[in-house]
Structure formats: C-alpha cells, structure tokens
C-alpha cells in the first residue's frame, strides 16, 4: 500500500512537473499586457509587432518617455527584454511602463511570445 501510494505520488509529480513549468506566453500576454499593448500603437502603449530585435523606443507612432528614449542606441535583445520586464524601473528609471513580470518562467514565455508578433 505504501509502495503504491509512493508510485502514485511519483506519477503525479511527473505529470504536474512539465505542466507547471510550461507557461503559455500568449495567455500571459493576453492577461498582463493586452490591456495596454494593442495591435496598433495607442496613446496608452506602443504596438509590439516586431519588437524582438528592434531598436528600443524606435516606433515613430508612439511618444516614449525620455527614460526609454535614452536607451535608443540599443536593441531589444532577449537579455534587454528580460531586464526590462523583470524591472522596468531598474532597466530605464522613469519609464512609463508600470508592469513587471517577476517570475523567470513567465518572463521567458512572454519573451518567446513577443518573437511571434510580426
Ligand atoms: C499599463 C499599460 C501597460 C501594460 C499593462 C504593459 N505595458 Fe509595456 N509599455 C507601456 C508603455 C507606456 C510603454 C512605453 C514606455 C516608455 O516610453 O517609457 C511600454 C513599452 C513596452 C516595451 C518597449 C516597446 C518599444 O517600442 O521599445 C515592451 C517590449 C513592452 N512594453 C512589453 C510589455 C509586456 C510584455 C507587457 C506585459 C507583461 C507590458 N508591456 C505591459 C505600457 C504598458
């Protein structure tokens, strides 16, 4: 009986492990980012199509904060996206983006999703 219970518990860990580790970047984006970031830029936030690899604060159709503009000599590498999403204010003190994503796996999933936005 004990052995059976252990086997069941081990099975549950195996099933739950990958399911918990794998986050749906699209769903996270819909919940945490879509409210501001639409398909086209709005006064609330810039559009994010093609943002992965693009120049930071590079869209002509959005008025960025001076803080993010100051990073305009760099591009949105995965490392920069990770730093910005982990701590927008740490990455660009004074940025107008108020939302951060503290969980590493959630950030990774969202960044992977950003790569799909064309
Ligand atoms: C409350 C509105 C709001 C939410 C929610 C929000 N953002 Fe932003 N985001 C902004 C604003 C405003 C800017 C421009 C910041 C600036 O100019 O300092 C921005 C800028 C960005 C940029 C840089 C764009 C560029 O052209 O350089 C990225 C990348 C980004 N946001 C990703 C995200 C992601 C991913 C989420 C969800 C986890 C998110 N944002 C949630 C308002 C928001």
């Amino acid at each position: 009986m004990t052995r059976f219970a252990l086997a069941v518990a081990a099975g549950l860990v195996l099933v739950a492990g990958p399911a918990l580790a794998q986050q749906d970047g699209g769903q996270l984006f819909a919940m945490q980012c879509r409210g501001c970031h639409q398909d086209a830029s709005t006064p609330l936030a810039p559009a994010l199509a093609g943002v992965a690899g693009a120049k930071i604060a590079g869209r002509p159709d959005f008025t960025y904060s001076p803080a993010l503009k100051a990073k305009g000599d760099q591009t949105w590498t995965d490392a920069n996206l990770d730093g910005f999403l982990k701590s927008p204010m740490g990455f660009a003190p004074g940025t107008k983006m108020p939302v951060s994503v503290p969980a590493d796996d959630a950030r990774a999933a969202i960044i992977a999703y950003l790569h799909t936005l064309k």
Side-chain angles (χ1 to χ4, degrees):
M1 188 60 194
T2 311
R3 214 184 272 167
F4 174 74
L6 278 176
V8 169
L12 285 177
V13 170
L14 282 177
V15 171
L20 287 176
Q22 202 162 29
Q23 299 245 18
D24 182 338
Q27 205 174 6
L28 292 171
F29 186 87
M31 292 188 304
Q32 299 181 36
C33 320
R34 249 297 158 218
C36 291
H37 291 284
Q38 305 285 308
D39 289 340
S41 295
T42 67
L44 219 53
L48 294 179
V51 75
K55 193 171 163 316
I56 292 178
R59 295 188 68 96
D61 59 2
F62 184 78
T63 306
Y64 294 92
S65 66
L68 205 60
K69 269 280 183 209
K71 297 270 180 183
D73 57 339
Q74 296 180 50
T75 54
W76 283 122
T77 59
D78 284 359
N80 279 336
L81 284 169
D82 190 64
F84 181 57
L85 293 176
K86 187 173 191 172
S87 171
M89 277 303 240
F91 182 85
T95 179
K96 291 194 284 184
M97 185 161 118
V99 174
S100 67
V101 184
D104 290 353
D105 54 349
R107 257 190 346 271
I110 288 174
I111 291 168
Y113 177 74
L114 290 179
H115 277 269
T116 71
L117 297 178
K118 306 282 180 212

